[in-house]
Amino acid sequence: LDPLFAAERPPSVLVHTAVYADAVLYTLISEGAQDSTVTLTQRGSGIAHRIPLPAQGTDMVFLRRGDGAMIARMNEEGGE
């Protein structure tokens, strides 16, 4: 079973996925001492989202399965 999205990330970033009928929720957790970027790419369409992640920070990204569009995002500051 291939994942719907590919994640490019540094080894210090943990990615947890929760798959739903129409969307995928990604929880990103940085254990690193430096800011980093995670790229989530939908395998079917090639649509990519670059998510900046602060050192020791967290982010949650909700992507639609059908077209890879970002439905919602919540970083640790509470913003999108």
Side-chain angles (χ1 to χ4, degrees):
L1 184 61
D2 287 334
L4 300 169
F5 291 83
E8 294 178 34
R9 60 182 173 78
S12 61
V13 173
L14 305 174
V15 178
H16 175 75
T17 59
V19 179
Y20 300 96
D22 295 324
V24 181
L25 174 64
Y26 288 90
T27 303
L28 311 173
I29 304 161
S30 171
E31 294 185 331
Q34 298 179 346
D35 294 349
S36 59
T37 299
V38 176
T39 302
L40 300 173
T41 304
Q42 186 188 34
R43 292 198 186 274
S45 69
I47 292 174
H49 299 279
R50 293 177 47 87
I51 311 298
L53 192 61
Q56 301 292 312
T58 61
D59 208 330
M60 296 176 77
V61 181
F62 210 37
L63 302 178
R64 189 169 26 244
R65 289 177 65 170
D67 61 5
M70 187 178 299
I71 298 168
R73 178 173 171 213
M74 187 169 142
N75 56 35
E76 62 186 5
E77 286 89 32
E80 292 188 29

